[in-house]
Amino acid sequence: MLIFKKQNNIELRTFKDIRSVTITFEDGSQKEFSNAELAKTALIDENWTSVTINGKTTLTSKEWLCDTI
């Protein structure tokens, strides 16, 4: 499960039914993952700029912080 917390307030977005996660990193490279378990290490450990979940929900690192449970 990935949890995204908006940096400006306490809004949370929780994603349970994840079929694909595409992460774009600061250097412009992208990695695609088939589930949240595989993606969360990259989101916690690397400098990402945006995340696309299930091909349509895009979150940017300027607005969101990522955490996992």
Side-chain angles (χ1 to χ4, degrees), residues 12-31:
L12 290 175
R13 285 195 187 189
T14 303
F15 295 94
K16 294 180 187 175
D17 301 324
I18 294 176
R19 294 176 303 284
S20 69
V21 180
T22 303
I23 304 172
T24 304
F25 298 96
E26 287 182 342
D27 65 1
S29 65
Q30 290 187 324
K31 289 183 186 174

Side-chain angles (χ1 to χ4, degrees), residues 8-50:
N8 297 340
N9 58 38
I10 58 168
E11 180 181 357
L12 290 175
R13 285 195 187 189
T14 303
F15 295 94
K16 294 180 187 175
D17 301 324
I18 294 176
R19 294 176 303 284
S20 69
V21 180
T22 303
I23 304 172
T24 304
F25 298 96
E26 287 182 342
D27 65 1
S29 65
Q30 290 187 324
K31 289 183 186 174
E32 191 164 332
F33 301 91
S34 58
N35 62 53
E37 290 300 312
L38 296 171
K40 69 183 180 183
T41 300
L43 286 166
I44 299 295
D45 295 339
E46 299 185 42
N47 293 325
W48 57 277
T49 56
S50 67

Side-chain angles (χ1 to χ4, degrees), residues 5 14 30 33 37-38 47 52 57-61 66 69:
K5 177 177 161 185
T14 303
Q30 290 187 324
F33 301 91
E37 290 300 312
L38 296 171
N47 293 325
T52 302
T57 303
T58 301
L59 308 173
T60 67
S61 59
C66 178
I69 61 169

